[in-house]
């Protein structure tokens, strides 16, 4: 068994004390305020974020010192101002929504996200009609991104246009479907927020380099949907840079989200095109109550799958896709982070069917420290890479985190009872065999 360290979520306990010590970012009220559990720590300056960076560096050193191929997990909401992540996420969501709007207008409604391809000529005509850009200007954008050789633009091409947004400020103007007016996406960004973008990338760069030096893989935790687009975008940039020879950076996909499969397959396709290693952790999700409360309060569609069964279906769909990709392409690694026995059995069965051997170490498993040892230890004893996720931090913050994990894992008490029964059965077996203290 290998060890793993991770920052415990800091959505609750200690919030009042932190807010007294720091200054809320302007504009943090309004539609983003008043949601239970959504209050976040907004750095008064970058000093606190740099302190968190030092903590993560020590965690990487700890992981590298106690195991081979260890993991260290990080949370981007403590490496940057969450309000910046919120604003950047809004930009990314609008940019992607604009692509979907154009695809629908070109008669592609109902297609999967990777099947949608905009015809360049029709797109240029639409941009000119909307007053966003002349045909000559838009052709220059596409040519500058090496898209001019194709007659169509898919979502990956579209996303590439936003990577160098400072040189494409006019392109960042999109129509508001409610008002019919054009609005600038870049108006969401101040000069200070541009600097925040650079600083968070610098911190991630520092962590990735230390992880490579120590032989540790860096796992970026998933967070609420109103932060996640920015988190995934920043993580993807790190993957493109550091995963060329091996999977150093892992992203996390929450399968209780309706768009989990689309988001994951888009990133996998990008890794194929650019020929880098794709690393991911699959989880069911950790913020269901917050997400649903916020969706109801603000009035947008609930992003969470309607039932636990639908979440299971999404998890297994994503997992099966990744396992198939591992079989076809060795540049893919996955951590199955689950306490669900059916999911573990599903993974083992599909690995056997696809001929993926545990010794390849392309598939690993993860459970929380102190939970579901009846799953963890048999996997480890059978030769599978398996990790225990170690939350850390002040007691008043870690305990609420652990209580939420227990609530999310339905049937946890039943599994705890089963684990107790298994332990008692093993004690009796050893007593009868006269080998109470034998490791065998």
């Amino acid at each position: 068994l290998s060890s793993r360290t991770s920052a415990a979520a800091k959505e609750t306990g200690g919030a009042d004390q932190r807010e007294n010590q720091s200054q809320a970012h302007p504009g943090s009220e309004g539609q983003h305020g008043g949601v239970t559990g959504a209050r976040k720590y907004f750095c008064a300056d970058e000093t606190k974020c740099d302190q968190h960076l030092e903590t993560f560096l020590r965690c990487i050193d700890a992981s590298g010192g106690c195991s081979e191929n260890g993991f260290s997990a990080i949370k981007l909401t403590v490496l940057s101002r969450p309000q910046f992540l919120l604003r950047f996420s809004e930009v990314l969501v609008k940019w992607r929504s604009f692509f979907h709007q154009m695809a629908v207008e070109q008669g592609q409604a109902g297609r999967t996200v990777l099947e949608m391809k905009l015809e360049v000529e029709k797109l240029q005509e639409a941009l000119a009609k909307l007053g966003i850009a002349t045909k000559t200007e838009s052709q220059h954008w596409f040519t500058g991104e090496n898209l001019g050789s194709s007659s169509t633009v898919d979502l990956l091409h579209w996303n590439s246009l936003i990577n160098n947004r400072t040189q494409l400020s006019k392109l960042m103007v999109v129509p508001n479907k409610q008002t019919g007016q054009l609005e600038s996406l870049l108006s969401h960004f101040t000069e200070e927020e541009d600097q925040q973008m650079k600083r968070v990338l610098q911190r991630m760069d520092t962590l990735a380099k230390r992880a490579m030096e120590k032989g540790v893989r860096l796992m970026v935790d998933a967070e609420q949907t109103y932060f996640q687009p920015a988190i995934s975008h920043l993580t993807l940039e790190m993957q493109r840079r550091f995963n060329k020879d091996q999977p150093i950076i892992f992203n996390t996909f929450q399968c209780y989200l309706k768009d989990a499969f689309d988001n994951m397959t888009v990133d996998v396709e990008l890794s194929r095109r650019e020929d880098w290693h794709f690393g991911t952790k699959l989880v069911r999700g950790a913020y269901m109550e917050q997400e649903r409360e916020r969706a109801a309060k603000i009035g947008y569609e609930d992003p969470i799958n309607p039932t636990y069964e639908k979440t299971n279906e999404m998890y297994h769909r994503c997992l099966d896709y990744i396992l198939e990709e591992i079989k076809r392409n060795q540049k893919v690694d996955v951590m199955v982070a689950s306490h669900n026995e059916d999911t573990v059995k599903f993974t083992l069965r599909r690995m056997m069917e696809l001929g993926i051997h545990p010794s390849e170490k392309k598939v690993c498993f993860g459970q929380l420290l102190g939970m579901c040892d009846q799953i963890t230890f048999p996997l480890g004893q059978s030769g599978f890479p398996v990790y225990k996720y170690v939350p850390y931090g002040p007691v008043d913050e870690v305990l609420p985190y652990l209580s939420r994990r227990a609530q999310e894992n339905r049937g946890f008490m039943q599994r705890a009872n089963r684990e107790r029964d298994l332990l008692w059965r093993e004690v009796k077996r050893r007593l009868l065999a006269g080998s109470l203290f034998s490791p065998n």
Side-chain angles (χ1 to χ4, degrees), residues 156-400:
L156 293 178
H157 295 141
W158 185 254
N159 287 341
S160 70
L161 292 172
I162 205 170
N163 289 335
N164 196 7
R165 58 186 177 80
T166 55
Q167 296 180 15
L168 298 168
S169 58
K170 193 171 183 180
L171 185 62
M172 300 299 104
V173 180
V174 299
N176 184 312
K177 287 186 286 186
Q178 280 71 39
T179 65
Q181 300 296 313
L182 295 177
E183 54 184 37
S184 172
L185 293 181
L186 282 182
S187 64
H188 288 272
F189 286 87
T190 64
E191 183 177 346
E192 170 58 23
E193 285 167 333
D194 281 334
Q195 291 301 313
Q196 289 176 41
M197 168 81 85
K198 294 177 182 177
R199 284 192 286 264
V200 68
L201 287 171
Q202 288 171 351
R203 293 184 185 109
M204 294 179 74
D205 181 80
T206 299
L207 292 171
K209 288 177 178 175
R210 179 69 67 87
M212 291 184 69
E213 176 189 337
K214 298 293 182 178
V216 173
R217 289 167 291 181
L218 202 61
M219 188 169 285
V220 181
D221 278 341
E223 305 195 47
Q224 292 93 335
T225 54
Y226 35 95
F227 298 128
Q228 194 56 44
I231 291 171
S232 292
H233 183 90
L234 295 169
T235 303
L236 197 63
E237 290 304 303
M238 290 295 104
Q239 288 181 311
R240 296 170 78 183
R241 179 175 178 186
F242 289 97
N243 287 9
K244 293 179 180 178
D245 299 319
Q246 57 183 316
I248 298 295
I249 311 296
F250 279 57
N251 199 4
T252 301
F253 291 90
Q254 301 179 99
C255 295
Y256 68 176
L257 297 176
K258 295 174 183 176
D259 59 0
F261 184 79
D262 284 345
N263 291 337
M264 186 190 70
T265 54
V266 167
D267 287 1
V268 171
E269 176 61 24
L270 182 64
S271 72
R272 283 198 207 111
R273 293 186 187 182
E274 298 182 345
D275 194 29
W276 45 266
H277 290 257
F278 180 81
T280 184
K281 178 178 73 169
L282 294 181
V283 301
R284 276 175 169 75
Y287 306 101
M288 183 171 69
E289 296 303 325
Q290 294 178 27
E291 296 286 6
R292 286 187 166 156
E293 182 179 352
R294 184 174 187 269
K297 182 180 179 66
I298 299 178
Y300 59 85
E301 182 184 352
D302 183 354
I304 307 295
N305 285 314
T307 64
Y308 185 73
E309 289 70 29
K310 286 294 184 183
T311 293
N312 285 341
E313 289 176 15
M314 177 65 77
Y315 195 107
H316 289 181
R317 183 187 181 195
C318 291
L319 178 55
D320 194 54
Y321 179 91
I322 287 294
L323 294 175
E324 292 274 3
E325 187 66 19
I326 290 173
K327 180 64 178 177
R328 289 191 300 266
N329 172 17
Q330 285 294 299
K331 292 188 174 184
V332 177
D333 291 67
V334 62
M335 172 179 277
V336 182
S338 175
H339 299 139
N340 187 296
E341 291 185 20
D342 291 335
T343 293
V344 173
K345 291 176 181 177
F346 173 86
T347 308
L348 299 180
R349 184 177 71 253
R350 290 296 289 138
M351 288 178 68
M352 185 180 299
E353 292 169 353
L354 293 167
I356 302 172
H357 196 271
S359 62
E360 297 178 39
K361 297 184 178 181
K362 306 301 291 181
V363 181
C364 61
F365 296 85
Q367 289 89 40
L368 275 165
L369 181 66
M371 291 188 183
C372 294
D373 287 348
Q374 79 275 14
I375 293 177
T376 309
F377 288 103
L379 285 171
Q381 290 164 354
S382 299
F384 290 91
V386 59
Y387 297 82
K388 298 302 279 191
Y389 187 102
V390 186
Y392 61 87
V395 172
D396 63 345
E397 295 184 9
V398 174
L399 285 180

